[in-house]
Amino acid sequence: ILNVESYVIRYWETEFRSIKPARTKSSQRLYRKKDVQELLTIRDLLYSQRFTIDGAKKQLARMRGEGDLNAKSSDREKLLLIKQELREIRNIIS
């Protein structure tokens, strides 16, 4: 389905936490439809869009909306610090 070697898929399993195939009693991997779709997305990001592993992780987070939440909270914290510093400057001036 993916047209990549099995060791590549095993490596992606270690790098991307979203891929968690179930295991049989004999330790064979059983990939669900969700896993295969995620692997197809990863293959597209890495091979077609030429992302690095780290870049693909960030892009997957953005696609899920996870990256935006962290960025928004970080931006909000920065704005609050700036606001506090501006108030301190205003108090010094007045």
Side-chain angles (χ1 to χ4, degrees):
I1 294 173
L2 297 170
N3 291 324
V4 295
E5 297 292 330
S6 59
Y7 68 87
V8 174
I9 296 170
R10 289 193 301 272
Y11 175 71
W12 290 350
E13 286 176 29
T14 63
E15 291 294 320
F16 297 92
R17 303 260 185 239
S18 57
I19 305 167
K20 298 175 186 166
R23 299 277 185 146
T24 64
K25 290 180 183 179
S26 62
S27 294
Q28 288 183 322
R29 291 170 174 83
L30 292 176
Y31 294 95
R32 297 166 292 178
K33 183 177 181 179
K34 179 182 123 180
D35 293 323
V36 174
Q37 289 172 338
E38 187 78 2
L39 287 166
L40 286 168
T41 302
I42 290 168
R43 186 196 64 188
D44 180 59
L45 290 172
L46 295 175
Y47 292 178
S48 298
Q49 298 182 33
R50 311 294 279 172
F51 278 89
T52 62
I53 294 286
D54 287 335
K57 288 178 186 177
K58 290 176 185 175
Q59 182 65 21
L60 284 171
R62 271 189 234 117
M63 291 167 69
R64 291 187 194 109
E66 295 169 2
D68 292 340
L69 294 176
N70 292 334
K72 287 180 184 177
S73 66
S74 176
D75 290 346
R76 182 169 173 77
E77 291 172 8
K78 288 176 186 175
L79 287 173
L80 289 173
L81 280 173
I82 292 170
K83 186 176 179 181
Q84 180 183 357
E85 290 174 1
L86 286 172
R87 283 184 179 158
E88 290 174 9
I89 292 170
R90 185 177 64 189
N91 289 338
I92 292 171
I93 293 174
S94 19

